[in-house]
Short mmCIF file of all heavy atoms in Angstrom, two decimals:
data_model
loop_
_atom_site.label_atom_id
_atom_site.label_comp_id
_atom_site.label_asym_id
_atom_site.label_seq_id
_atom_site.Cartn_x
_atom_site.Cartn_y
_atom_site.Cartn_z
N LEU V 99 -12.64 10.91 -5.09
CA LEU V 99 -13.51 10.05 -5.86
C LEU V 99 -14.93 10.30 -5.37
O LEU V 99 -15.19 10.32 -4.16
CB LEU V 99 -13.12 8.59 -5.61
CG LEU V 99 -13.78 7.51 -6.45
CD1 LEU V 99 -13.56 7.73 -7.94
CD2 LEU V 99 -13.23 6.14 -6.07
N ALA V 100 -15.85 10.54 -6.30
CA ALA V 100 -17.23 10.85 -5.92
C ALA V 100 -18.03 9.56 -5.74
O ALA V 100 -17.92 8.63 -6.53
CB ALA V 100 -17.88 11.73 -6.97
N LYS V 101 -18.82 9.51 -4.65
CA LYS V 101 -19.74 8.39 -4.43
C LYS V 101 -21.01 8.63 -5.25
O LYS V 101 -21.45 9.77 -5.34
CB LYS V 101 -20.14 8.32 -2.97
CG LYS V 101 -19.07 7.82 -2.03
CD LYS V 101 -19.70 7.82 -0.63
CE LYS V 101 -18.72 7.41 0.43
NZ LYS V 101 -19.32 7.53 1.77
N PRO V 102 -21.65 7.63 -5.78
CA PRO V 102 -21.22 6.23 -5.76
C PRO V 102 -20.16 5.97 -6.84
O PRO V 102 -20.16 6.61 -7.88
CB PRO V 102 -22.51 5.48 -6.09
CG PRO V 102 -23.29 6.43 -6.94
CD PRO V 102 -22.94 7.81 -6.47
N PHE V 103 -19.28 5.03 -6.53
CA PHE V 103 -18.23 4.72 -7.51
C PHE V 103 -18.17 3.22 -7.72
O PHE V 103 -18.64 2.44 -6.87
CB PHE V 103 -16.88 5.24 -7.02
CG PHE V 103 -16.54 4.81 -5.62
CD1 PHE V 103 -16.05 3.55 -5.36
CD2 PHE V 103 -16.75 5.68 -4.55
CE1 PHE V 103 -15.76 3.15 -4.07
CE2 PHE V 103 -16.47 5.28 -3.25
CZ PHE V 103 -15.97 4.02 -3.00
N ALA V 104 -17.60 2.82 -8.84
CA ALA V 104 -17.39 1.39 -9.09
C ALA V 104 -16.11 0.99 -8.36
O ALA V 104 -15.15 1.76 -8.32
CB ALA V 104 -17.23 1.15 -10.59
N PHE V 105 -16.12 -0.21 -7.76
CA PHE V 105 -14.95 -0.65 -7.00
C PHE V 105 -13.68 -0.65 -7.85
O PHE V 105 -12.60 -0.29 -7.38
CB PHE V 105 -15.19 -2.04 -6.39
CG PHE V 105 -14.11 -2.44 -5.45
CD1 PHE V 105 -13.98 -1.80 -4.22
CD2 PHE V 105 -13.22 -3.43 -5.78
CE1 PHE V 105 -12.97 -2.14 -3.34
CE2 PHE V 105 -12.19 -3.78 -4.90
CZ PHE V 105 -12.08 -3.14 -3.68
N GLU V 106 -13.83 -1.02 -9.12
CA GLU V 106 -12.70 -1.02 -10.05
C GLU V 106 -12.06 0.37 -10.15
O GLU V 106 -10.85 0.51 -10.27
CB GLU V 106 -13.17 -1.44 -11.45
CG GLU V 106 -13.59 -2.89 -11.55
CD GLU V 106 -12.44 -3.84 -11.24
OE1 GLU V 106 -11.36 -3.62 -11.80
OE2 GLU V 106 -12.63 -4.76 -10.42
N GLU V 107 -12.92 1.38 -10.12
CA GLU V 107 -12.44 2.76 -10.21
C GLU V 107 -11.63 3.12 -8.96
O GLU V 107 -10.58 3.74 -9.04
CB GLU V 107 -13.64 3.71 -10.37
CG GLU V 107 -13.34 5.20 -10.32
CD GLU V 107 -12.56 5.70 -11.53
OE1 GLU V 107 -12.46 4.97 -12.53
OE2 GLU V 107 -12.04 6.84 -11.43
N LEU V 108 -12.12 2.67 -7.80
CA LEU V 108 -11.39 2.90 -6.56
C LEU V 108 -10.02 2.23 -6.61
O LEU V 108 -9.00 2.84 -6.29
CB LEU V 108 -12.19 2.36 -5.36
CG LEU V 108 -11.52 2.50 -3.99
CD1 LEU V 108 -11.38 3.96 -3.58
CD2 LEU V 108 -12.28 1.72 -2.92
N LEU V 109 -9.99 0.98 -7.08
CA LEU V 109 -8.72 0.26 -7.19
C LEU V 109 -7.76 0.98 -8.12
O LEU V 109 -6.56 1.10 -7.84
CB LEU V 109 -8.95 -1.16 -7.72
CG LEU V 109 -9.49 -2.20 -6.74
CD1 LEU V 109 -9.59 -3.54 -7.45
CD2 LEU V 109 -8.60 -2.32 -5.52
N ALA V 110 -8.28 1.46 -9.24
CA ALA V 110 -7.43 2.15 -10.22
C ALA V 110 -6.83 3.42 -9.61
O ALA V 110 -5.65 3.70 -9.79
CB ALA V 110 -8.24 2.49 -11.47
N ARG V 111 -7.65 4.18 -8.87
CA ARG V 111 -7.15 5.40 -8.24
C ARG V 111 -6.08 5.08 -7.20
O ARG V 111 -5.08 5.78 -7.08
CB ARG V 111 -8.28 6.17 -7.55
CG ARG V 111 -9.36 6.67 -8.46
CD ARG V 111 -8.87 7.76 -9.39
NE ARG V 111 -9.97 8.25 -10.17
CZ ARG V 111 -10.71 9.31 -9.82
NH1 ARG V 111 -10.40 10.01 -8.75
NH2 ARG V 111 -11.72 9.68 -10.56
N ILE V 112 -6.34 4.03 -6.42
CA ILE V 112 -5.37 3.64 -5.38
C ILE V 112 -4.04 3.27 -6.01
O ILE V 112 -2.99 3.76 -5.60
CB ILE V 112 -5.90 2.45 -4.55
CG1 ILE V 112 -7.08 2.90 -3.69
CG2 ILE V 112 -4.82 1.85 -3.67
CD1 ILE V 112 -7.83 1.76 -3.02
N SER V 113 -4.09 2.43 -7.04
CA SER V 113 -2.80 2.00 -7.58
C SER V 113 -2.11 3.14 -8.32
O SER V 113 -0.88 3.21 -8.32
CB SER V 113 -2.92 0.72 -8.41
OG SER V 113 -3.69 0.96 -9.54
N ALA V 114 -2.87 4.06 -8.88
CA ALA V 114 -2.24 5.22 -9.52
C ALA V 114 -1.52 6.08 -8.48
O ALA V 114 -0.39 6.52 -8.69
CB ALA V 114 -3.28 6.06 -10.26
N LEU V 115 -2.16 6.28 -7.33
CA LEU V 115 -1.52 7.08 -6.28
C LEU V 115 -0.28 6.39 -5.73
O LEU V 115 0.76 7.01 -5.54
CB LEU V 115 -2.50 7.32 -5.12
CG LEU V 115 -3.48 8.47 -5.27
CD1 LEU V 115 -4.36 8.57 -4.04
CD2 LEU V 115 -2.75 9.80 -5.49
N LEU V 116 -0.40 5.07 -5.49
CA LEU V 116 0.74 4.35 -4.91
C LEU V 116 1.92 4.30 -5.87
O LEU V 116 3.06 4.17 -5.45
CB LEU V 116 0.33 2.93 -4.49
CG LEU V 116 -0.64 2.87 -3.30
CD1 LEU V 116 -1.07 1.44 -3.04
CD2 LEU V 116 0.01 3.46 -2.05
N ARG V 117 1.63 4.40 -7.16
CA ARG V 117 2.72 4.37 -8.15
C ARG V 117 3.36 5.73 -8.33
O ARG V 117 4.43 5.85 -8.88
CB ARG V 117 2.20 3.92 -9.51
CG ARG V 117 1.99 2.44 -9.64
CD ARG V 117 1.94 2.05 -11.10
NE ARG V 117 1.09 2.89 -11.90
CZ ARG V 117 -0.21 2.68 -12.07
NH1 ARG V 117 -0.80 1.67 -11.48
NH2 ARG V 117 -0.93 3.47 -12.83
N ARG V 118 2.66 6.78 -7.89
CA ARG V 118 3.12 8.14 -8.13
C ARG V 118 4.53 8.33 -7.57
O ARG V 118 4.82 7.92 -6.45
CB ARG V 118 2.17 9.13 -7.45
CG ARG V 118 2.19 10.50 -8.08
CD ARG V 118 1.35 11.44 -7.27
NE ARG V 118 -0.01 11.53 -7.77
CZ ARG V 118 -0.90 12.40 -7.25
NH1 ARG V 118 -0.58 13.16 -6.25
NH2 ARG V 118 -2.11 12.46 -7.76
N ASN V 119 5.36 8.95 -8.32
CA ASN V 119 6.76 9.21 -7.93
C ASN V 119 7.64 7.96 -7.88
O ASN V 119 8.82 8.05 -7.66
CB ASN V 119 6.88 9.90 -6.56
CG ASN V 119 6.04 11.14 -6.49
OD1 ASN V 119 5.85 11.82 -7.50
ND2 ASN V 119 5.55 11.45 -5.31
N LYS V 120 7.03 6.79 -8.01
CA LYS V 120 7.84 5.59 -7.87
C LYS V 120 8.14 4.98 -9.24
O LYS V 120 9.19 4.42 -9.46
CB LYS V 120 7.12 4.55 -7.02
CG LYS V 120 6.66 5.09 -5.68
CD LYS V 120 7.51 4.60 -4.55
CE LYS V 120 7.06 5.23 -3.25
NZ LYS V 120 7.38 4.49 -2.09
#
Side-chain angles (χ1 to χ4, degrees):
L99 188 58
K101 287 181 183 175
F103 51 80
F105 188 70
E106 292 298 312
E107 174 69 13
L108 178 67
L109 283 182
R111 297 292 184 94
I112 290 170
S113 65
L115 277 180
L116 291 176
R117 282 200 313 272
R118 204 186 266 185
N119 307 328
K120 307 255 177 156

